[in-house]
Amino acid sequence: MKRELINIVNGFKFVPGSAYLEGLGDDAYLSFKRFYDAQVKPDPYAAVRDRAMIKIVYDRKTAQIRLNPNQSYFQSYGANDSDGGRVRVFPAIDESILENRVFCHLFQCDSTYIDEYCDRVRQEVVNISVHFIRYKANCGGASYSSPVWLHLDDEPLVFIHLIELTRNAIGADSVISEMDSKPTNVLRLSNPFDTLIVDRAKKHAVTPLGATQGTAYRDVMLVNLEAEVQQK
């Protein structure tokens, strides 16, 4: 059954990290980076990534977030031909994130777009998955996303927040296309909290990560507004 397209950002929108840092103190980024580093663990489904996840419920009437009792993650095969069609369980992000000052600030910024979507579909309570994903690649090797190339997410709205991209990284560029999968835009998240927002109006991907020397890292936080098909 074809899903209705809710166009919020015309496929994608880049928001510079400086916009998310407004209102935060000088130590905000470093404190959140320390929290992030303490959470990520080896991804049980892919040796090329470390990962952690927490699922939350956002109640728009109260503007509050709370822990979701369901902490598993599902994608359809149509959205992810690598890992879709099965339920995955990732290492858990500590529940203290719900009261983390930096996370709450970032989420408040994101909620402007989430609220617009919810107004359009007349939904007051939504399920959201928060993913910490660390891509890591040694010189000559590669780390890659799942799915690997251009795709449409099940989620109607996804926020890709950069936490860190190390200087020795190569690749790790975001790619946008129309439904014909011919790239139309390439951009890079480079600075702390640089953010790519995507909806289902266009396809997107991130190119594999490599390293000029040593080990390169690309740390991101995804804030995903989950679709009904994902409630497994």
Side-chain angles (χ1 to χ4, degrees), residues 148-216:
V148 177
W149 191 229
L150 289 160
H151 63 281
L152 285 179
D153 291 319
D154 288 315
E155 292 91 343
L157 203 54
V158 172
F159 302 82
I160 306 164
H161 298 287
L162 182 73
I163 306 302
E164 183 181 32
L165 180 67
T166 57
R167 291 186 178 184
N168 60 336
I170 54 177
D173 296 312
S174 294
V175 183
I176 307 296
S177 80
E178 302 291 345
M179 297 304 159
D180 61 6
S181 297
K182 296 178 180 178
T184 56
N185 304 85
V186 177
L187 57 96
R188 169 172 276 210
L189 306 182
S190 302
N191 300 310
F193 299 143
D194 277 357
T195 296
L196 178 65
I197 308 171
V198 296
D199 62 26
R200 288 175 50 82
K202 298 180 189 292
K203 292 183 177 182
H204 67 275
V206 62
T207 60
L209 171 74
T212 57
Q213 59 183 5
T215 303

Side-chain angles (χ1 to χ4, degrees), residues 16-215:
S18 57
Y20 280 91
L21 284 166
E22 288 181 9
L24 291 173
D26 294 339
D27 66 335
Y29 167 72
L30 290 177
S31 68
F32 192 73
K33 180 65 166 63
R34 287 191 294 268
F35 177 80
Y36 183 103
D37 289 343
Q39 303 303 308
V40 290
K41 304 291 190 299
D43 185 332
Y45 307 96
V48 297
R49 298 184 295 271
D50 292 339
R51 196 152 183 167
M53 187 197 78
I54 189 170
K55 290 178 69 170
I56 61 178
V57 178
Y58 172 48
D59 187 328
R60 296 182 61 221
K61 286 184 178 179
T62 62
Q64 298 295 309
I65 55 176
R66 63 179 187 270
L67 187 68
N68 190 324
N70 177 7
Q71 290 296 313
S72 61
Y73 182 61
F74 178 81
Q75 292 174 291
S76 69
Y77 184 80
N80 185 341
D81 58 7
S82 298
D83 290 300
R86 61 172 172 167
V87 174
R88 289 181 287 170
V89 178
F90 298 111
I93 296 174
D94 192 89
E95 294 178 25
S96 63
I97 193 174
L98 300 179
E99 298 178 354
N100 182 284
R101 178 174 63 92
V102 178
F103 174 76
C104 290
H105 176 85
L106 298 176
F107 185 80
Q108 185 177 28
C109 295
D110 292 345
S111 67
T112 300
Y113 301 91
I114 297 171
D115 288 344
E116 180 182 349
Y117 173 84
C118 291
D119 285 341
R120 299 265 296 274
V121 300
R122 298 180 182 178
Q123 191 169 354
E124 293 299 327
V125 178
V126 291
N127 295 314
I128 291 172
S129 58
V130 179
H131 303 257
F132 289 178
I133 305 175
R134 167 169 288 166
Y135 300 90
K136 52 184 183 179
N138 294 324
C139 184
S143 178
Y144 47 87
S145 68
S146 175
V148 177
W149 191 229
L150 289 160
H151 63 281
L152 285 179
D153 291 319
D154 288 315
E155 292 91 343
L157 203 54
V158 172
F159 302 82
I160 306 164
H161 298 287
L162 182 73
I163 306 302
E164 183 181 32
L165 180 67
T166 57
R167 291 186 178 184
N168 60 336
I170 54 177
D173 296 312
S174 294
V175 183
I176 307 296
S177 80
E178 302 291 345
M179 297 304 159
D180 61 6
S181 297
K182 296 178 180 178
T184 56
N185 304 85
V186 177
L187 57 96
R188 169 172 276 210
L189 306 182
S190 302
N191 300 310
F193 299 143
D194 277 357
T195 296
L196 178 65
I197 308 171
V198 296
D199 62 26
R200 288 175 50 82
K202 298 180 189 292
K203 292 183 177 182
H204 67 275
V206 62
T207 60
L209 171 74
T212 57
Q213 59 183 5
T215 303

